[in-house]
Amino acid sequence: MSVSQSPRWYLRLPVAFAAAWLVWGAPAVCEPAERPAPDLEAGQAAYLQHCARCHGASGKGDGLDAKRFYPRPRDLTMGVYKFRSTVSGTPPTDDDLFRTITQGLPGTNMPDWAHLDEAARWQLVEYLKRLAPLFDEATPQPITVPPGPGRGQADLKRGRAVYERLGCAACHGGAGRANGTSAGGFVDDWGMPIRPANLTQGWSYRGGSDPQAVLTRILSGIDGTGMPSYAEALPPEDAWPLAHYVASLQEPPHWNMIAHPLAVEGALPATLDDPRWDRAERTDVRLRNVVTPAGEWANPPTVKAISFQAVANAEGLAFRLAWDDPTQDGGAPPDGVAVILKPAGSAGDVVTLQVWPYEDAPPLDICYWAADTGKAFEAVAASFEPVRARSTPRTMLESLASYEDGRWRALLRRSLHPATPAGAAAIEPNGFTAVAFAVWDGGNPGARAVSPWTDLALRQEQ
Ligand code: HEC
Ligand code: HEC
């Protein structure tokens, strides 16, 4: 976005018209710069209307909803900005601010504001600059982005070598799954625990996931977070290979509202690498950590999504699950996962796992696997605790799991109509079954991550 700030844009209009006439031989629509003259009152009004509920009336990041979010809405009075195209420590450009407002910050609760008219967004930019003294004390110093090859010429092998040489893996992990040896223990400039990004989750890159945006983050650093600027350390000829390599780590998500198990005849898959998994539809589901009873976040979420596939035959259902967890924890508390179903005979809609369990909450059917025993079982319970503690009647399930470089993969098998435990979900072929997931990271205790419900559509015919 580049919009002239000159108030005298109209003087250039006749020239622009003449040029357009010469090139196209027809009148062209010449867009005037839409950036209005600064009007702080208008900026403040828009801020109070749209931003204050999160960022607080005075911009200190203490709005009504603030504590329920991770990351927290920014304290805008400190003048520390993450997503800039400028040298570390210098303010963002007006265009950077405009872009953040227009596009929002994907993977966080900062919404996009493209629906506000452009003039209002520019007034917000002006207002933000009044909230922190940094904008008076320093001027934005744009980073220098070397000219680069197109996507076709990206040298990923070289990019990988640069990724290793510069030590990105120490934080982001060898495969980019946020599991580097120094990934834990960071505290950001706003006093909150913070973790490196999972680079395989392109949808969660806040400043944009294309190579250009990634290179901007690498060169500018992400101020306030411990992610340094590599403007000095990165030779220009290595810049684009690195950016393309990072972008290549992203795994496109499959967000499905309805998931279709692969229908098979004969036995269900008994291994994680059964070739039939390659034919089974994959569904990714975002997870959200439950908040503490005080309505706050205890810890940064470490598990943000789970992906699942299902294979069904006439008798049963096999699930293959995969989720990224930065640490393998087999002790107490252990890593664990649950496939959650609606118990047989339960009426009404499903409850949201964000608030379950609550007083008099209906029980749920929980197919639970944990890393301490490496075994799975099914229980019908009114809360997770007795299940995690194995103090409730349970029926063992066939399961296996493996952990490799920051990623768990697990297989769980269950019959469509189990005789036990009492009240176990009955799954009807050719019907819809609601399924949800909960994940525990033993290394991040108290941070239970839960999903919304997805419909599983069982079909008999393939
Ligand atoms: C629903 C809550 C919410 C609302 C409403 C909201 N924000 Fe945010 N905003 C956030 C969160 C959360 C972050 C922190 C993201 C992060 O740290 O990665 C953020 C960060 C920002 C940043 C920092 C960007 C950077 O480079 O560091 C700016 C600027 C910003 N918001 C502006 C606004 C403006 C302007 C509005 C109103 C038009 C607004 N926000 C409304 C939640 C919100
Ligand atoms: C000292 C730890 C550390 C190192 C080393 C590090 N990063 Fe990061 N990186 C972080 C943290 C922390 C975040 C998350 C920032 C946040 O939550 O806002 C991050 C975020 C990112 C993001 C996501 C940007 C976005 O838009 O959300 C990318 C891409 C990235 N880093 C690439 C790299 C690359 C490439 C390297 C090596 C050249 C690297 N990082 C080195 C800590 C690090």
Side-chain angles (χ1 to χ4, degrees):
M1 170 68 46
S2 141
V3 176
S4 165
Q5 287 188 50
S6 162
R8 292 194 296 164
W9 51 268
Y10 51 86
L11 292 180
R12 297 201 300 268
L13 270 184
V15 182
F17 266 114
W21 192 275
L22 283 175
V23 174
W24 291 297
V29 182
C30 186
E31 297 265 340
E34 285 199 36
R35 184 163 185 176
D39 175 350
L40 285 181
E41 254 172 53
Q44 184 176 37
Y47 177 88
L48 290 174
Q49 186 181 351
H50 303 295
C51 324
R53 71 185 155 97
C54 286
H55 291 286
S58 57
K60 293 191 78 62
D62 55 358
L64 269 183
D65 299 338
K67 288 186 175 169
R68 291 190 83 84
F69 296 134
Y70 188 89
R72 293 252 172 106
R74 186 67 45 72
D75 177 345
L76 299 164
T77 64
M78 279 172 58
V80 179
Y81 275 87
K82 291 186 183 178
F83 306 105
R84 296 160 293 103
S85 59
T86 58
V87 172
S88 180
T90 72
T93 63
D94 288 4
D95 284 348
D96 289 338
L97 294 172
F98 189 84
R99 191 184 319 103
T100 296
I101 295 171
T102 303
Q103 298 180 355
L105 298 172
T108 80
N109 289 92
M110 165 71 186
D112 65 83
W113 300 95
H115 56 284
L116 297 184
D117 69 42
E118 205 169 315
R121 282 176 269 149
W122 282 118
Q123 298 304 0
L124 283 163
V125 168
E126 294 298 340
Y127 185 71
L128 290 178
K129 293 197 292 178
R130 291 289 149 268
L131 291 175
L134 176 77
F135 291 93
D136 295 327
E137 294 161 8
T139 42
Q141 238 178 286
I143 48 163
T144 315
V145 179
R151 182 173 279 278
Q153 303 147 26
D155 183 346
L156 297 183
K157 218 171 134 211
R158 179 176 186 151
R160 177 170 183 90
V162 181
Y163 181 87
E164 279 160 12
R165 195 180 73 230
L166 292 184
C168 312
C171 287
H172 292 286
R177 296 176 190 149
N179 62 326
T181 45
S182 21
F186 286 112
V187 174
D188 68 20
D189 280 14
W190 303 272
M192 292 295 287
I194 186 172
R195 299 201 51 105
N198 183 328
L199 300 178
T200 69
Q201 295 171 340
W203 48 268
S204 74
Y205 286 32
R206 300 166 192 181
S209 55
D210 57 287
Q212 169 93 36
V214 169
L215 184 54
T216 308
R217 298 291 84 75
I218 296 169
L219 293 172
S220 68
I222 306 182
D223 284 1
T225 71
M227 157 102 180
S229 152
Y230 288 87
E232 303 286 316
L234 184 61
E237 63 277 17
D238 286 341
W240 284 101
L242 176 61
H244 280 283
Y245 174 69
V246 171
S248 78
L249 295 172
Q250 300 168 10
E251 296 166 10
H254 301 254
W255 313 121
N256 296 323
M257 299 289 282
I258 300 179
H260 300 94
L262 177 74
V264 296
E265 300 198 339
L268 292 173
T271 64
L272 288 164
D273 297 314
D274 186 297
R276 288 171 296 175
W277 290 120
D278 294 338
R279 289 194 283 129
E281 181 186 80
R282 168 182 151 188
T283 295
D284 290 323
V285 188
R286 277 189 67 176
L287 302 175
R288 202 173 156 218
N289 276 21
V290 292
V291 290
T292 64
E296 297 188 16
W297 290 96
N299 277 309
T302 39
V303 186
K304 294 186 186 160
I306 186 166
S307 99
F308 77 94
Q309 295 167 289
V311 172
N313 65 13
E315 285 87 43
L317 200 56
F319 286 97
R320 186 171 78 163
L321 314 168
W323 69 99
D324 289 356
D325 172 336
T327 49
Q328 181 180 12
D329 306 291
D335 290 342
V337 69
V339 177
I340 300 167
L341 302 161
K342 239 173 95 173
S346 57
D349 212 346
V350 286
V351 297
T352 152
L353 294 181
Q354 264 293 310
V355 297
W356 191 88
Y358 48 88
E359 215 181 321
D360 297 328
L364 292 173
D365 179 331
I366 300 169
C367 301
Y368 175 71
W369 173 91
D372 51 351
T373 59
K375 295 203 168 88
F377 60 85
E378 181 162 3
V380 175
S383 85
F384 287 118
E385 274 70 42
V387 178
R388 289 272 279 169
R390 297 189 180 86
S391 61
T392 187
R394 55 198 190 279
T395 301
M396 297 312 289
L397 297 177
E398 282 171 276
S399 71
L400 50 95
S402 80
Y403 183 85
E404 203 183 328
D405 198 1
R407 178 163 297 170
W408 276 110
R409 293 198 307 154
L411 174 90
L412 259 75
R413 300 205 301 180
R414 173 195 193 277
S415 84
L416 295 182
H417 293 100
T420 59
I427 297 179
E428 299 310 329
N430 283 328
F432 287 94
T433 300
V435 61
F437 303 90
V439 179
W440 292 261
D441 170 6
N444 191 7
R448 180 169 75 238
V450 295
S451 78
W453 295 81
T454 301
D455 278 336
L456 211 58
L458 263 74
R459 298 169 298 187
Q460 255 167 0
E461 296 300 313
Q462 182 45 31

